[in-house]
Amino acid sequence: MDEQKLLGLAREMLPFAYAPYSGYRVGAALLTTDGKVFKGVNVENVSLGLTICAERVALTAAVAAGHRSFSLLAIAAEGESRPLPCGACRQMLLEFSREMKVLVAGEKGEPHVFELKDLLPHPFTL
Ligand code: THU
């Protein structure tokens, strides 16, 4: 599964995003190290604070299916701005894979690839 294909899968999720409050739809596709893909969308709530980001939906679906090792996460958003994952998602993702790459893309422009460990260089640990 290459980066472009995973990004395509993330973009296919955009219609399923539930984002009536921000109007900002996000789709995510998470690749396990054994080649499976788990997808997610942002799910907002009228209380706002209960909103779940697309990447955490994908991550929790993967973990619930027995997967704990990931190599690549693609995040796609509507509009031009790139959806960099929030701090909470960075910490949640790092729990499982320090070596993960994160590919982010708006509708236009070049996708950018980051190393997860560069996005959160000083994570909380016990
Ligand atoms: N959001 C995501 O789903 N992932 C990101 O990487 C950035 C932000 C969502 C949360 C909320 O529903 C909306 O985008 C605006 O913050």
Side-chain angles (χ1 to χ4, degrees), residues 22 24 26 42 44 51 53-55 75 83-86:
S22 72
Y24 187 66
V26 184
N42 54 334
E44 297 186 348
T51 291
C53 298
E55 47 273 61
I75 313 170
L84 277 168
C86 75

mmCIF file of all heavy atoms in Angstrom, residues 22 24 26 42 44 51 53-55 75 83-86, ligand 1:
data_model
loop_
_atom_site.group_PDB
_atom_site.id
_atom_site.type_symbol
_atom_site.label_atom_id
_atom_site.label_comp_id
_atom_site.label_asym_id
_atom_site.label_seq_id
_atom_site.Cartn_x
_atom_site.Cartn_y
_atom_site.Cartn_z
ATOM 1 N N SER A 22 -18.114 22.604 13.036
ATOM 2 C CA SER A 22 -16.946 23.282 12.457
ATOM 3 C C SER A 22 -17.055 23.385 10.940
ATOM 4 O O SER A 22 -16.431 24.256 10.326
ATOM 5 C CB SER A 22 -15.654 22.513 12.787
ATOM 6 O OG SER A 22 -15.597 21.303 12.045
ATOM 7 N N TYR A 24 -15.697 21.388 9.072
ATOM 8 C CA TYR A 24 -14.376 20.946 8.606
ATOM 9 C C TYR A 24 -14.346 19.422 8.643
ATOM 10 O O TYR A 24 -14.185 18.810 9.701
ATOM 11 C CB TYR A 24 -13.313 21.541 9.532
ATOM 12 C CG TYR A 24 -11.877 21.322 9.117
ATOM 13 C CD1 TYR A 24 -11.372 21.898 7.963
ATOM 14 C CD2 TYR A 24 -11.025 20.553 9.906
ATOM 15 C CE1 TYR A 24 -10.047 21.709 7.595
ATOM 16 C CE2 TYR A 24 -9.699 20.364 9.554
ATOM 17 C CZ TYR A 24 -9.222 20.941 8.395
ATOM 18 O OH TYR A 24 -7.909 20.760 8.036
ATOM 19 N N VAL A 26 -12.899 15.734 8.051
ATOM 20 C CA VAL A 26 -11.587 15.087 8.048
ATOM 21 C C VAL A 26 -11.782 13.580 7.886
ATOM 22 O O VAL A 26 -12.693 12.992 8.484
ATOM 23 C CB VAL A 26 -10.810 15.377 9.358
ATOM 24 C CG1 VAL A 26 -9.406 14.773 9.313
ATOM 25 C CG2 VAL A 26 -10.729 16.882 9.637
ATOM 26 N N ASN A 42 -13.892 12.490 11.490
ATOM 27 C CA ASN A 42 -14.174 13.235 12.712
ATOM 28 C C ASN A 42 -15.664 13.140 13.035
ATOM 29 O O ASN A 42 -16.520 13.165 12.141
ATOM 30 C CB ASN A 42 -13.693 14.692 12.644
ATOM 31 C CG ASN A 42 -14.188 15.481 11.457
ATOM 32 O OD1 ASN A 42 -14.497 14.934 10.402
ATOM 33 N ND2 ASN A 42 -14.249 16.795 11.603
ATOM 34 N N GLU A 44 -18.238 15.009 15.473
ATOM 35 C CA GLU A 44 -18.436 16.137 16.390
ATOM 36 C C GLU A 44 -19.682 15.910 17.246
ATOM 37 O O GLU A 44 -20.469 14.994 17.001
ATOM 38 C CB GLU A 44 -18.545 17.439 15.576
ATOM 39 C CG GLU A 44 -17.251 17.706 14.826
ATOM 40 C CD GLU A 44 -17.219 19.048 14.104
ATOM 41 O OE1 GLU A 44 -18.261 19.711 13.978
ATOM 42 O OE2 GLU A 44 -16.109 19.419 13.678
ATOM 43 N N THR A 51 -16.048 16.022 20.833
ATOM 44 C CA THR A 51 -15.646 15.727 19.453
ATOM 45 C C THR A 51 -14.451 14.771 19.412
ATOM 46 O O THR A 51 -13.520 14.892 20.209
ATOM 47 C CB THR A 51 -15.275 17.046 18.745
ATOM 48 O OG1 THR A 51 -16.481 17.788 18.586
ATOM 49 C CG2 THR A 51 -14.616 16.817 17.398
ATOM 50 N N CYS A 53 -11.479 13.248 16.844
ATOM 51 C CA CYS A 53 -10.790 13.462 15.564
ATOM 52 C C CYS A 53 -10.784 12.174 14.736
ATOM 53 O O CYS A 53 -10.811 11.070 15.277
ATOM 54 C CB CYS A 53 -9.344 13.896 15.801
ATOM 55 S SG CYS A 53 -9.180 15.448 16.676
ATOM 56 N N ALA A 54 -10.676 12.358 13.436
ATOM 57 C CA ALA A 54 -10.714 11.231 12.497
ATOM 58 C C ALA A 54 -9.617 10.210 12.789
ATOM 59 O O ALA A 54 -9.837 8.987 12.718
ATOM 60 C CB ALA A 54 -10.565 11.758 11.077
ATOM 61 N N GLU A 55 -8.420 10.687 13.119
ATOM 62 C CA GLU A 55 -7.313 9.755 13.317
ATOM 63 C C GLU A 55 -7.483 8.922 14.580
ATOM 64 O O GLU A 55 -7.067 7.764 14.632
ATOM 65 C CB GLU A 55 -5.948 10.470 13.293
ATOM 66 C CG GLU A 55 -5.825 11.714 14.111
ATOM 67 C CD GLU A 55 -6.254 12.966 13.369
ATOM 68 O OE1 GLU A 55 -7.433 13.039 12.973
ATOM 69 O OE2 GLU A 55 -5.432 13.899 13.239
ATOM 70 N N ILE A 75 -4.090 11.534 6.537
ATOM 71 C CA ILE A 75 -5.189 12.382 7.011
ATOM 72 C C ILE A 75 -5.537 13.350 5.884
ATOM 73 O O ILE A 75 -4.666 14.069 5.385
ATOM 74 C CB ILE A 75 -4.802 13.188 8.267
ATOM 75 C CG1 ILE A 75 -4.124 12.305 9.308
ATOM 76 C CG2 ILE A 75 -6.029 13.850 8.875
ATOM 77 C CD1 ILE A 75 -3.493 13.098 10.463
ATOM 78 N N PRO A 83 -4.562 19.177 7.526
ATOM 79 C CA PRO A 83 -5.030 18.819 8.859
ATOM 80 C C PRO A 83 -3.915 18.223 9.708
ATOM 81 O O PRO A 83 -3.783 17.010 9.804
ATOM 82 C CB PRO A 83 -6.102 17.774 8.565
ATOM 83 C CG PRO A 83 -5.588 17.093 7.346
ATOM 84 C CD PRO A 83 -4.832 18.126 6.545
ATOM 85 N N LEU A 84 -3.087 19.033 10.317
ATOM 86 C CA LEU A 84 -2.082 18.474 11.237
ATOM 87 C C LEU A 84 -2.773 17.914 12.477
ATOM 88 O O LEU A 84 -3.675 18.562 13.020
ATOM 89 C CB LEU A 84 -1.075 19.557 11.623
ATOM 90 C CG LEU A 84 0.035 19.753 10.592
ATOM 91 C CD1 LEU A 84 0.810 21.024 10.880
ATOM 92 C CD2 LEU A 84 0.967 18.561 10.577
ATOM 93 N N PRO A 85 -2.386 16.730 12.915
ATOM 94 C CA PRO A 85 -3.072 16.142 14.060
ATOM 95 C C PRO A 85 -2.885 16.955 15.336
ATOM 96 O O PRO A 85 -1.825 17.541 15.564
ATOM 97 C CB PRO A 85 -2.439 14.753 14.197
ATOM 98 C CG PRO A 85 -1.239 14.738 13.342
ATOM 99 C CD PRO A 85 -1.349 15.850 12.354
ATOM 100 N N CYS A 86 -3.930 16.985 16.147
ATOM 101 C CA CYS A 86 -3.862 17.737 17.415
ATOM 102 C C CYS A 86 -2.942 17.008 18.395
ATOM 103 O O CYS A 86 -2.561 15.852 18.191
ATOM 104 C CB CYS A 86 -5.263 17.916 17.993
ATOM 105 S SG CYS A 86 -5.939 16.418 18.732
HETATM 106 N N1 THU B 1 -9.887 17.321 13.330
HETATM 107 C C1 THU B 1 -9.591 16.032 12.993
HETATM 108 O O1 THU B 1 -10.479 15.193 12.890
HETATM 109 N N2 THU B 1 -8.288 15.711 12.776
HETATM 110 C C2 THU B 1 -7.276 16.601 12.727
HETATM 111 O O2 THU B 1 -6.153 16.227 12.457
HETATM 112 C C3 THU B 1 -7.540 18.020 12.999
HETATM 113 C C4 THU B 1 -8.880 18.340 13.533
HETATM 114 C C5 THU B 1 -11.306 17.708 13.471
HETATM 115 C C6 THU B 1 -11.812 17.941 14.851
HETATM 116 C C7 THU B 1 -13.008 18.839 14.564
HETATM 117 O O3 THU B 1 -14.120 18.025 14.239
HETATM 118 C C8 THU B 1 -12.608 19.615 13.343
HETATM 119 O O4 THU B 1 -11.531 18.921 12.769
HETATM 120 C C9 THU B 1 -12.218 21.048 13.596
HETATM 121 O O5 THU B 1 -11.285 21.135 14.598
#
